[in-house]
């Protein structure tokens, strides 16, 4: 008894440990994934393609199109059906073997096996296979279109986060510069050597700089929330993102819009999806028209019966073999009048094809226009950055001179703050134009097929 109780105790303990291990390990692994707080742009793109709901739904639509294609192929196979029944009857019944009425309790049954194969139906099934094959490819390319759009959305959101972070750092630096002047004027004011107007002007500027820091911090958090929505991950204050320091080369040759359009038509999924959808609609119309033709089918079957109403007929298996019947048939079905259903189906298929042609033409025009716009935006972003650089250099020197003059008492606080604000705004503008150029270059590269 003691040994049995001890064994039971250890078995229960081992069981509890095993169950704890099963439940805790997945949580630990999940916790390891959830502890990641620092991301690069490439990691964000990969995470969005994996987690984003739109990307997942698009992949599911592609899988359903694959199922439809397999189903269309399976319709070429013959159909085989089996039937087996067994019953007990009492009173006046019909003997299934002799087909005579008898009055006794009998046990009887029947067995059937039938097969059917469509030999010809106006090529409907073959054309349906082509229709579903093109539809499947169209869904694949539409899935790629969703991923392309998601990738560009992530790049935009990521660069907005980086821009907001850099602007926050600049506003903090600008506030710190003002703070030093406030501290210097506070010391002079305590000694009675400062102009009160300049002292309070500088304090007002410092409060404005503090507000700018708060606004920039809020903008950064809002942009991170937008990015996490695309990545489908929880927001956390600890999230951080790798900086992008590379500036596109100003000497990069600008390609023409027609070349970019041709590359985009090859690399992006939007135009391919529209072209394949049109081909699918063409074969959908052909498959629908083929329903006007007769259908020729080949059929074959086996059937047998069993009854215990009369002795001497042998066992169940003996009766199945003795009563076995075989048959084959050719069936020609000719459509004559079906409530004009086929005519309506053809009319509907024509409309689907017409819509697909409109979608294709619209996709070509949109892609051509977008390709041209991408290059316009890229050229403008590059020129804005170059001009902003010149402005920053000019205001940097003017602010340096104003700072020296203000500390020497040669200019008042109004003039000093005007120069400081110009320099601060120029630096913020440089950050914005820098990442705008980066964004436009990446979009152009994506249209060009560079991933």
């Amino acid at each position: 008894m003691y040994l049995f109780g001890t064994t039971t105790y250890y078995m229960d303990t081992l069981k509890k440990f095993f169950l704890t291990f099963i439940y805790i390990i997945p949580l630990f692994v999940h916790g390891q994934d959830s502890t990641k707080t620092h991301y690069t742009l490439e990691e964000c793109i990969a995470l969005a393609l994996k987690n984003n709901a739109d990307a997942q739904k698009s992949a599911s639509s592609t899988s359903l199109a694959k199922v439809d294609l397999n189903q269309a192929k399976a319709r070429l196979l013959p159909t085989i059906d089996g039937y087996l029944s067994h019953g007990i009857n009492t009173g006046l019944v019909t003997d299934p073997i002799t087909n005579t009425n008898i009055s006794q309790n009998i046990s009887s049954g029947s067995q059937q096996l039938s097969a059917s194969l469509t030999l010809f139906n106006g090529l409907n099934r073959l054309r349906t296979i082509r229709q579903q094959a093109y539809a499947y490819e169209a869904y694949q390319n539409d899935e790629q279109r969703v991923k392309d759009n998601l990738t560009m959305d992530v790049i935009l959101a990521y660069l907005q986060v980086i821009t907001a972070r850099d602007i926050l750092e600049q506003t903090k630096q600008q506030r710190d510069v003002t703070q030093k002047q406030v501290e210097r004027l506070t010391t002079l004011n305590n000694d009675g050597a400062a102009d009160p107007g300049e002292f309070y002007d500088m304090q007002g500027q410092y409060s404005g700089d503090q507000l700018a820091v708060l606004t920039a911090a809020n903008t950064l958090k809002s942009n991170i929330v937008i990015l996490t929505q695309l990545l489908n991950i929880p927001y956390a204050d600890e999230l951080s993102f790798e900086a992008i320091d590379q500036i596109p080369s100003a000497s990069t040759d600008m390609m023409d819009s027609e070349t970019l359009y041709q590359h985009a038509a090859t690399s992006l999924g939007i135009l391919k999806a529209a072209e394949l959808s049109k081909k699918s609609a063409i074969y959908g119309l052909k498959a629908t028209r083929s329903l006007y033709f007769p259908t020729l089918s080949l059929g074959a079957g086996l059937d047998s019966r069993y009854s215990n109403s009369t002795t001497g007929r042998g066992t169940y298996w003996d009766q199945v073999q003795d009563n076995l019947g075989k048959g084959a048939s050719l069936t020609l079905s000719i459509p004559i009048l079906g409530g004009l259903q086929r005519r309506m189906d053809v009319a509907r298929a024509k409309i689907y094809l017409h819509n697909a042609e409109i979608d294709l033409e619209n996709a070509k025009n949109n892609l051509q226009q977008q390709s041209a716009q991408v290059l316009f935006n890229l050229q403008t972003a590059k020129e804005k950055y170059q001009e902003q650089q010149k402005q920053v250099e000019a205001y940097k020197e003017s602010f340096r001179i104003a700072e020296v003059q203000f500390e020497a008492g040669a200019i008042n606080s109004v003039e000093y703050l005007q120069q400081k604000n110009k320099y601060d705004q120029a630096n913020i503008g440089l950050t914005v134009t820098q990442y705008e150029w980066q964004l436009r270059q990446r979009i152009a590269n994506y249209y060009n097929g560079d991933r």
Side-chain angles (χ1 to χ4, degrees):
M1 290 293 295
Y2 177 78
L3 290 176
F4 179 75
T6 303
T7 303
T8 303
Y9 170 77
Y10 280 116
M11 290 297 292
D12 290 341
T13 303
L14 182 60
K15 182 179 179 181
K16 291 178 181 178
F17 174 79
F18 179 72
L19 291 175
T20 303
F21 179 82
I22 290 176
Y23 285 108
I24 291 298
I25 289 301
L27 293 175
F28 175 74
V29 173
H30 178 73
Q32 282 184 320
D33 293 338
S34 62
T35 56
K36 183 174 179 59
T37 58
H38 188 74
Y39 295 92
T40 64
L41 175 58
E42 288 71 21
E43 289 174 338
C44 286
I45 293 174
L47 194 59
L49 295 177
K50 176 184 176 182
N51 292 346
N52 186 268
D54 290 338
Q56 292 177 351
K57 289 180 180 179
S58 180
S60 296
S61 297
T62 302
S63 299
L64 288 175
K66 178 65 172 178
V67 173
D68 291 339
L69 174 59
N70 291 336
Q71 184 179 24
K73 291 179 178 179
R75 292 180 62 197
L76 293 176
L77 300 175
T79 59
I80 302 176
D81 296 301
Y83 173 80
L84 179 67
S85 70
H86 193 85
I88 298 176
N89 299 278
T90 62
L92 185 63
V93 297
T94 300
D95 188 337
I97 304 299
T98 63
N99 203 30
T100 60
N101 294 329
I102 59 176
S103 180
Q104 71 176 72
N105 298 337
I106 67 171
S107 174
S108 62
S110 63
Q111 308 82 29
Q112 293 180 0
L113 182 65
S114 61
S116 176
L117 176 64
T118 300
L119 301 179
F120 177 78
N121 68 337
L123 303 178
N124 172 267
R125 295 184 178 181
L126 293 177
R127 288 168 175 173
T128 301
I129 290 175
R130 293 294 298 273
Q131 175 191 4
Q132 296 298 336
Y134 282 126
Y136 173 55
E137 290 186 61
Y139 273 104
Q140 285 180 311
N141 282 276
D142 191 67
E143 179 183 353
Q144 183 60 46
R145 176 192 63 80
V146 172
K147 291 180 178 180
D148 290 339
N149 292 339
L150 178 60
T151 298
M152 287 187 278
D153 288 342
V154 171
I155 292 174
L156 173 60
Y158 190 95
L159 290 176
Q160 286 177 333
V161 169
I162 302 301
T163 302
R165 187 183 65 187
D166 286 2
I167 290 177
L168 175 59
E169 292 302 316
Q170 287 186 7
T171 53
K172 288 180 178 179
Q173 294 174 7
Q174 294 162 8
R175 178 201 59 190
D176 293 342
V177 171
T178 304
Q179 183 178 9
K180 291 179 181 179
Q181 293 295 342
V182 169
E183 292 172 351
R184 184 180 69 84
L185 289 175
T186 299
T187 302
L188 294 176
N189 186 63
N190 292 337
D191 295 338
D195 183 342
E198 294 181 350
F199 173 69
Y200 290 113
D201 274 350
M202 199 58 62
Q203 282 191 327
Q205 178 67 32
Y206 179 71
S207 296
D209 289 350
Q210 285 279 47
L211 289 173
V213 170
L214 293 175
T215 301
N218 181 71
T219 301
L220 174 59
K221 292 180 179 180
S222 298
N223 290 345
I224 292 177
V225 168
I226 294 174
L227 180 56
T228 56
Q229 288 173 344
L230 292 172
L231 305 184
N232 199 16
I233 61 174
Y235 170 84
D237 292 332
E238 298 79 17
L239 289 176
S240 60
F241 302 91
E242 190 74 22
I244 301 177
D245 298 326
Q246 181 182 3
I247 300 296
S249 174
S251 60
T252 302
D253 293 334
M254 295 288 294
M255 70 178 67
D256 61 277
S257 60
E258 181 60 27
T259 301
L260 186 62
Y261 165 72
Q262 295 297 334
H263 290 175
T266 303
S267 63
L268 300 182
I270 180 171
L271 197 55
K272 292 180 182 179
E275 290 173 345
L276 290 166
S277 294
K278 178 184 175 181
K279 291 181 179 179
S280 177
I282 290 174
Y283 275 92
L285 177 58
K286 290 181 178 180
T288 306
R289 281 175 170 165
S290 63
L291 296 176
Y292 286 130
F293 290 88
T295 299
L296 180 63
S297 301
L298 172 65
L302 299 173
D303 69 90
S304 185
R305 290 165 291 176
Y306 159 82
S307 174
N308 67 346
S309 61
T310 305
T311 59
R313 293 179 178 176
T315 64
Y316 176 86
W317 294 110
D318 291 337
Q319 289 195 44
V320 169
Q321 294 177 5
D322 293 341
N323 298 324
L324 184 64
K326 307 174 184 178
S329 64
L330 281 174
T331 302
L332 181 64
S333 175
I334 303 174
I336 298 176
L337 180 63
L340 301 180
Q341 183 62 47
R342 291 177 178 82
R343 185 181 297 275
M344 296 302 102
D345 290 340
V346 169
R348 190 177 294 107
K350 289 180 179 179
I351 295 174
Y352 290 152
L353 175 57
H354 180 63
N355 288 340
E357 292 172 342
I358 294 175
D359 290 340
L360 176 57
E361 189 64 26
N362 188 55
K364 288 180 179 179
N365 292 334
N366 286 342
L367 187 59
Q368 192 277 333
Q369 294 160 3
Q370 291 168 3
S371 299
Q373 189 66 50
V374 163
L375 293 183
F376 298 156
N377 292 339
L378 175 58
Q379 182 65 26
T380 302
K382 181 179 75 171
E383 294 174 356
K384 285 171 63 177
Y385 176 77
Q386 293 171 340
E387 291 300 321
Q388 195 70 33
Q389 273 187 316
K390 297 176 182 178
Q391 187 183 62
V392 168
E393 291 299 321
Y395 282 149
K396 178 180 180 181
E397 181 61 21
S398 64
F399 174 66
R400 185 191 67 80
I401 296 172
E403 192 171 33
V404 172
Q405 291 176 336
F406 178 65
E407 292 178 356
I411 60 174
N412 57 33
S413 60
V414 174
E415 295 172 304
Y416 168 79
L417 292 177
Q418 286 178 344
Q419 294 301 324
K420 180 180 182 302
N421 288 334
K422 288 181 180 180
Y423 181 51
D424 292 345
Q425 293 303 315
N427 276 319
I428 292 176
L430 183 63
T431 300
V432 172
T433 55
Q434 169 188 339
Y435 286 115
E436 183 182 358
W437 187 11
Q438 178 71 248
L439 170 65
R440 299 305 179 186
Q441 184 64 62
R442 284 180 176 268
I443 292 177
N445 292 343
Y446 212 85
Y447 270 66
N448 197 39
D450 301 331
R451 298 293 191 263

